[in-house]
Amino acid sequence: MTHFSKGNGCNVAVVGCGYWGSKHARVMHAADGVEQVVLVDSREDRLLNLGRSYKTAPWYTDLRSALAHVDAVVVATPPSTHVAIALQAIEAGKHVLVEKPLAPTSDGARRLDRAAAAAGVILMVGHTFEYNPAVRKLRELIQSEELGEVYYIDSARLNLGLYQNDVNVILDLAPHDISIINHVLGRKPIAAQAWASRHAHRRFEDVAYLRLFYDDFFDDRGLSANIHVSWLDPCKVRRVTAVGSQKMAVYDDLAVDERIRVLDKGVCLPPDGDNMTQPPLSYRYGDIVVPFISPDEPLAVQNQHFIECIATGSRPLTDGANGLAVVEALEAAELSRRLGRPVLLAELSADSRFTQPFSLGSRYVSASRASGGTGAANGAASAVRTSPEMS
């Protein structure tokens, strides 16, 4: 049980008052158990702009000045700054919710998890889609085996923009899809493969394809997930398709009334498989079911869960281990993109030469060449210490 510093509620600092941080400020302001929201951003113009909506909210241009006045911190800044800011809050004894991804590298994610455990504070990662009622319904369909054996999952997250300044499209968009797929399957991948290209952006890849392997073998029979992410597409798409042996399900986050559709479709082997005069498979077409999905706002559900975990001492659903699993998949995908082959997640801990902060992008050579063999931790620390931007 946590005793809050003032009053009967939790005082929460939102660090980074840009697009996503402003959403956290709105949700936290309305959350049960929150006494006060404190705004933190290095840019005073952002603070003044957001402060018009929350006239009584205190604001600071640096986190250090705010720490004495809060119980918890939401980190909504660029990924390259996550580790440094979250560590500062953890070392001050504050509970921390970090936006996705938890850290630029798996080494950084482990460091945050260890620090939070040592300090006895809550560490939670903002994998908002795991609190989405539609994603939870998709997980229920898969875990109950209503779809039968899952053959594969396909995900697309496309739009024209929004281009980022410090990461490529993989680190920006793919955390959502990896988090969703890990959640609905109830496990994490063992390997990743990725292809990406730069078109409009000079520094970072803006179109990418990822394949995650969830079985211990690399042939056509294994369960895999395909992810397409793009900042350079004429159509906005937010879709996840799960194909099973009995049924198929489509989750369309942009649909208003039919975010989940369960299709009784599939293929069947003919009774006489040796008869070459017959089609190799027959096709089954059945009903399409649209289950009820609660209209709850995922960010509100997520942040309320964070406050409840602080109050009760419970472990968050999206804890440090959950965040680490996503970062490991991202790191393996980025390494695969550079090496041109699938990468086992086990390789990341087996040889730290390969581990790099994603914010460094494809401009960098291997860590062993760049720093004489030093591991990823030093590179990650350097990246976060030198980035002053908040967004």
Side-chain angles (χ1 to χ4, degrees):
M1 181 73 70
T2 295
H3 298 285
F4 299 124
S5 57
K6 295 180 181 180
N8 297 319
C10 182
N11 295 326
V12 181
V14 175
V15 185
C17 296
Y19 174 77
W20 203 242
S22 64
K23 293 180 181 292
H24 277 287
R26 171 183 59 80
V27 168
M28 284 298 188
H29 187 73
D32 292 337
V34 173
E35 183 79 11
Q36 187 177 63
V37 176
V38 176
L39 308 177
V40 181
D41 199 294
S42 59
R43 288 176 50 180
E44 189 170 327
D45 60 318
R46 285 180 174 172
L47 293 168
L48 293 173
N49 183 56
L50 189 57
R52 294 190 184 99
S53 300
Y54 310 101
K55 297 185 182 301
T56 62
W59 55 265
Y60 300 89
T61 55
D62 66 277
L63 177 58
R64 188 175 304 279
S65 300
L67 285 174
H69 309 284
V70 301
D71 306 289
V73 174
V74 175
V75 181
T77 59
S80 58
T81 67
H82 284 184
V83 173
I85 293 174
L87 278 177
Q88 185 180 359
I90 290 170
E91 289 168 359
K94 310 304 177 182
H95 307 284
V96 180
L97 167 59
V98 183
E99 260 306 323
K100 61 82 185 171
L102 178 59
T105 66
S106 57
D107 183 79
R110 293 189 189 95
R111 187 180 174 193
L112 289 179
D113 201 30
R114 288 194 299 266
V121 299
I122 299 293
L123 173 64
M124 180 168 156
V125 60
H127 290 158
T128 311
F129 281 96
E130 295 193 34
Y131 300 89
N132 187 310
V135 172
R136 290 181 169 183
K137 182 63 179 180
L138 183 60
R139 174 184 166 89
E140 177 188 319
L141 292 168
I142 291 175
Q143 295 297 319
S144 67
E145 300 184 353
E146 183 171 341
L147 305 184
E149 177 191 355
V150 178
Y151 288 151
Y152 72 91
I153 292 179
D154 189 87
S155 182
R157 191 167 301 274
L158 321 171
N159 201 4
L160 187 59
L162 296 168
Y163 277 83
Q164 302 298 313
N165 292 319
D166 67 332
V167 293
N168 65 17
V169 71
I170 295 177
L171 191 62
D172 180 41
L173 298 183
H176 292 307
D177 301 283
I178 297 171
S179 169
I180 290 171
I181 296 167
N182 285 359
H183 181 62
V184 300
L185 292 178
R187 50 178 158 155
K188 66 179 185 178
I190 64 153
Q193 190 170 15
W195 305 262
S197 55
R198 289 193 301 266
H199 297 287
H201 203 295
R202 293 183 178 181
R203 295 177 57 204
F204 298 114
E205 293 73 20
D206 46 19
V207 179
Y209 296 85
L210 288 72
R211 190 179 189 193
L212 306 180
F213 300 90
Y214 284 85
D215 284 328
D216 292 332
F217 43 85
F218 289 81
D219 61 22
D220 294 336
R221 298 177 296 111
L223 173 60
S224 64
N226 307 301
I227 299 172
H228 180 196
V229 289
S230 176
W231 288 329
L232 193 60
D233 196 277
C235 302
K236 184 174 183 178
V237 179
R238 299 286 186 268
R239 185 182 61 241
V240 178
T241 302
V243 176
S245 59
Q246 300 299 319
K247 296 180 181 179
M248 306 177 186
V250 178
Y251 159 46
D252 185 350
D253 194 55
L254 301 182
V256 177
D257 298 319
E258 299 183 357
R259 285 192 291 161
I260 292 284
R261 300 168 74 234
V262 184
L263 301 90
D264 188 5
K265 286 185 174 183
V267 295
C268 303
L269 290 170
D272 185 4
D274 295 329
N275 187 347
M276 300 300 293
T277 65
Q278 299 298 316
L281 293 170
S282 61
Y283 303 93
R284 184 185 74 258
Y285 298 92
D287 295 334
I288 298 176
V289 176
V290 179
F292 169 76
I293 302 298
S294 169
D296 295 341
E297 182 185 3
L299 185 63
V301 176
Q302 170 193 280
N303 287 12
Q304 189 64 59
H305 178 61
F306 178 53
I307 299 302
E308 290 169 357
C309 288
I310 293 173
T312 63
S314 303
R315 193 172 187 87
L317 298 176
T318 50
D319 59 6
N322 179 292
L324 173 61
V326 171
V327 173
E328 286 179 331
L330 291 167
E331 201 167 52
E334 182 68 5
L335 180 57
S336 168
R337 181 184 67 78
R338 296 200 300 269
L339 298 181
R341 64 167 175 84
V343 171
L344 292 164
L345 269 66
E347 293 182 60
L348 302 177
S349 57
D351 189 346
S352 63
R353 290 181 307 149
F354 294 134
T355 309
Q356 302 238 4
F358 287 100
S359 58
L360 303 184
S362 58
R363 300 176 293 113
Y364 278 65
V365 296
S366 67
S368 58
R369 289 175 57 192
S371 57
T374 55
N378 292 337
S382 176
V384 296
R385 288 191 193 113
T386 58
S387 178
E389 180 186 3
M390 292 185 178
S391 69

